[in-house]
Amino acid sequence: MTPYRIAPSILSADFTRLGEEVRNVITAGADLIHFDVMDNHYVPNLTFGAMICAALRPHTSVPIDVHLMVEPVDEMIKQFAQAGADIITFHPEASRHVHRSLSLIKDAGKQAGLVLNPATPIHVLEDVLPYLDMVLLMSVNPGFGGQTFIPNTLDKIRRTRALLDEYTQQSGRHIALEVDGGIKTNNIAEVAAAGADTFVAGSAIFGADDYGRVIKEMRANLAQISA
Ligand code: DX5
Ligand code: ZN
């Protein structure tokens, strides 16, 4: 049975009460905290930096999954590694030297991942698979929460899953496959069936009154897939 992970994105949390929001969503069953870093340069929006990550670290008993939507990436990788991130992912278009940026993450002892936009082809993964712990497929264009899931992503998830399975067979190493954008209780099972194992959900969870109920419903829908 696939160990599915649910990663609430605090992009949709109440920023006036971030520590409490993180604690509440962990109590509600979050497996990871997804931390969306936007710079108004790589994406047309601005969120939070490494100081906020460091401030939240003591409130966070699960891994922090930092999604860097910044350009350039290397300095931010160093700052977030220092701030207590556990997983650091970035967009290959935002790094002049993707291998160097991945090595920076690995050398800091963190898990590394690449994020592919809806129009980014999966072949960018092929030559760096040994450096990857996670692949993050965007199912919306990055920059904003609350967008609609792009249906073509399902086929891309299937193709990425096949590539990663082939790599696991050769190497014995597992690489997580995360999907981000527009994931709700009513489509999470489809996304899992296509081959994803880690699910970012921002507005679906933080937009609800009862975070635990949404996470529970997501898990119930996921359980039907692996049954
Ligand atoms: C978009 C972010 C997502 C976003 C997901 O650039 O990377 O993590 O918060 O939000 P929802 O789940 O609302 O689509
Ligand atoms: Zn994200």
Side-chain angles (χ1 to χ4, degrees):
M1 191 167 141
T2 314
Y4 292 125
R5 294 185 296 177
I6 294 176
S9 165
I10 58 166
L11 183 62
S12 295
D14 179 347
F15 287 179
T16 66
R17 305 184 290 113
L18 261 188
E20 190 185 333
E21 289 276 73
V22 164
R23 288 193 300 272
N24 287 345
V25 87
I26 291 170
T27 304
D31 298 297
L32 302 172
I33 292 295
H34 187 79
F35 194 96
D36 284 307
V37 185
M38 304 185 186
D39 67 347
N40 189 37
H41 176 68
Y42 181 67
V43 290
N45 202 357
L46 184 67
T47 57
F48 27 60
M51 290 164 79
I52 306 285
C53 181
L56 288 175
R57 180 71 273 182
H59 299 265
T60 313
S61 53
V62 300
I64 300 182
D65 171 28
V66 172
H67 173 192
L68 293 178
M69 288 162 275
V70 303
E71 183 179 1
V73 297
D74 291 359
E75 179 56 31
M76 289 300 107
I77 286 171
K78 292 178 199 159
Q79 289 193 17
F80 275 94
Q82 190 79 34
D86 298 279
I87 305 167
I88 302 177
T89 64
F90 66 90
H91 292 248
E93 297 89 344
S95 169
R96 198 63 76 83
H97 305 282
V98 170
H99 177 274
R100 175 177 290 147
S101 301
L102 288 170
S103 301
L104 275 176
I105 301 173
K106 300 300 286 179
D107 290 349
K110 308 298 181 179
Q111 293 189 37
L114 283 183
V115 192
L116 307 191
N117 286 332
T120 304
I122 66 174
H123 69 74
V124 302
L125 302 170
E126 284 170 12
D127 288 311
V128 291
L129 288 168
Y131 300 88
L132 299 180
D133 300 292
M134 180 184 267
V135 171
L136 172 49
L137 297 182
M138 293 305 300
S139 37
V140 298
N141 285 295
F144 303 93
Q147 302 181 80
T148 305
F149 185 90
I150 298 172
N152 288 0
T153 314
L154 292 172
D155 180 57
K156 193 172 184 177
I157 297 168
R158 282 189 278 271
R159 286 183 287 119
T160 309
R161 182 79 267 163
L163 174 73
L164 298 185
D165 284 349
E166 192 188 329
Y167 173 71
T168 299
Q169 271 188 351
Q170 290 163 11
S171 66
R173 279 188 70 242
H174 173 75
I175 299 175
L177 181 49
E178 183 174 45
V179 178
D180 185 1
I183 295 191
K184 313 280 173 200
T185 53
N186 65 9
N187 64 3
I188 193 166
E190 235 184 333
V191 176
D197 50 60
T198 308
F199 310 87
V200 177
S203 48
I205 294 173
F206 286 103
D209 292 334
D210 184 345
Y211 306 160
R213 188 187 50 74
V214 177
I215 293 175
K216 228 169 155 182
E217 198 175 329
M218 286 179 163
R219 285 202 204 284
N221 293 343
L222 288 170
Q224 305 225 323
I225 295 297
S226 44

